[in-house]
Amino acid sequence: MLWVKAFHLIFIVTWFSALFYLPRLFVYHALCDDEAGNARFKIMERKLYRGIMTPSALLTLIFGVWLLSFYSLEQIASMGWLHAKLTLVILLFAYHGICGRMLKQFAADNNQRSHRFYRWFNEFPVLLLIAVIILAVVKPF
């Protein structure tokens, strides 16, 4: 079980690294006004999303489900903190999908948002990370 937990945590770290970095790239991409820079950001964003972010999210999910398999349904039903955590994880996957949609907009040169929007958008996973860690470590209910 500890090996599964270790790999789950490793992929959480890589997923969150990408969740933090991709919107930061969007900030700079929204400020970019030259074609060479625009093309460079498109490549960086695509490689980050497809090569690191999505595989990390999937491996986080696989190892997380594997961790759940060590518990009985009765145990899982009594873990209120886990239900709250899984709700936040669903929000993280939704955020991941929204990032993918934004990536497609940038790739099509159809971004309609300012760099300020992306600066605020970048803060959402930070709040979720704090909540998820507190729920998983403290298990307040």
Side-chain angles (χ1 to χ4, degrees), residues 55-114:
S56 296
L58 293 174
L59 288 165
T60 295
L61 180 64
I62 288 166
F63 282 99
V65 169
W66 193 352
L67 275 175
L68 285 176
S69 75
F70 292 109
Y71 299 96
S72 70
L73 290 178
E74 294 80 26
Q75 288 173 308
I76 291 170
S78 69
M79 298 177 184
W81 65 270
L82 180 62
H83 299 194
K85 177 189 167 204
L86 293 176
T87 300
L88 297 177
V89 170
I90 290 168
L91 288 175
L92 282 167
F93 275 96
Y95 182 87
H96 183 114
I98 291 166
C99 285
R101 226 179 320 133
M102 291 173 173
L103 176 99
K104 288 178 183 176
Q105 290 172 343
F106 274 110
D109 295 319
N110 194 27
N111 174 49
Q112 302 296 315
R113 296 184 173 95
S114 73

Side-chain angles (χ1 to χ4, degrees), residues 6 8 12 20 37 48 65 70 73 116 125 128 133:
H8 180 62
I12 288 170
F20 295 152
L48 179 62
V65 169
F70 292 109
L73 290 178
R116 285 185 188 91
L128 290 178
I133 289 175

Side-chain angles (χ1 to χ4, degrees), residues 22 45-51 53-55 96-97 99-100 103:
L22 184 62
E45 292 159 357
R46 185 187 76 243
K47 286 184 176 185
L48 179 62
Y49 188 80
R50 291 185 184 157
M53 194 164 146
T54 298
H96 183 114
C99 285
L103 176 99

